[in-house]
Amino acid sequence: ENRLNHILASDLEGVDLAIEGRVAALPQANASGAKFAFDVDDAISHGESIKQFPRRIYLSWQPAWRSTQSIPEIIPGQRWKLKVKLKRPYGSLNPYTFDFERWSFHQDFGASGSVRSGELLLAKEIGFAEFALAMELARWNLRRKIQSILPADAHYGGVIVALVMGDQNAIDQED
């Protein structure tokens, strides 16, 4: 019941919103964009703060169609001010396929959506009491270290990252 109370209100779906918060987990990033969990501290619509808003959302940041806009590097602990368009967690129920709606519920995501633009407010904000976020930053640093050691044309890089740290995102990126 607590999780259901933090789902995006239906009247906010598809509306341009300004949100502020921080990257909450290891992002999935590749050349075409990034996907990441975001903890929301404040949400604004039409100049007014929204009182009932999801604490955690899942965002996708990709360049606009046929745009050369580069996506900034997303790092756990970064504080951002973002312009987003969100929707309630929804996924089709097809047998033997990934159930996005169920996954979102288990991850405590109250909405998912896309980033239109963003402004980095603080490079890293991790307190001593935030062990989980500190671990996500350590995992991000380990993934970068592994990727920097491997040759640029290594087709097995994603598999090595997955075996060492369980980050399977890079496996599908290989040709």
Side-chain angles (χ1 to χ4, degrees):
E1 185 177 327
N2 187 33
R3 286 186 187 176
L4 293 175
N5 288 334
H6 294 283
I7 301 291
L8 182 71
S10 59
D11 60 330
L12 295 175
E13 282 189 296
V15 176
D16 286 327
L17 302 170
I19 61 172
E20 191 173 313
R22 68 177 176 187
V23 179
L26 186 69
Q28 297 178 357
N30 58 34
S32 66
K35 294 180 182 180
F36 54 97
F38 193 77
D39 286 343
V40 179
D41 294 330
D42 191 25
I44 299 170
S45 176
H46 304 296
E48 293 184 25
S49 185
I50 303 168
K51 302 295 181 210
Q52 185 74 19
F53 199 80
R55 296 180 304 240
R56 178 173 272 207
I57 59 177
Y58 190 67
L59 295 173
S60 173
W61 195 343
Q62 299 172 340
W65 188 63
R66 292 188 177 185
S67 172
T68 58
Q69 171 195 7
S70 63
I71 304 301
E73 187 169 35
I74 307 295
I75 302 171
Q78 286 179 326
R79 181 163 288 286
W80 286 89
K81 184 174 187 177
L82 303 170
K83 289 184 181 178
V84 298
K85 196 172 274 193
L86 302 175
K87 65 179 182 174
R88 296 165 66 99
Y90 170 77
S92 58
L93 293 173
N94 293 325
Y96 310 111
T97 61
F98 179 69
D99 187 349
F100 180 77
E101 193 169 348
R102 181 178 183 195
W103 177 79
S104 294
F105 181 78
H106 285 289
Q107 298 296 317
D108 202 19
F109 294 129
S112 65
S114 58
V115 176
R116 302 291 188 222
S117 64
E119 174 187 351
L120 180 62
L121 300 176
L122 188 61
K124 292 179 189 167
E125 180 199 26
I126 299 177
F128 291 109
E130 299 173 297
F131 179 74
L133 190 54
M135 290 305 301
E136 292 297 314
L137 182 59
R139 291 180 69 219
W140 181 84
N141 285 322
L142 177 60
R143 181 172 66 187
R144 275 204 67 191
K145 182 69 173 175
I146 293 169
Q147 290 169 340
S148 70
I149 292 171
L150 296 172
D153 61 344
H155 294 291
Y156 50 84
V159 174
I160 290 176
V161 170
L163 290 171
V164 170
M165 55 184 287
D167 179 22
Q168 298 178 15
N169 176 53
I171 293 175
D172 296 330
Q173 296 177 21
E174 303 301 324
D175 294 344

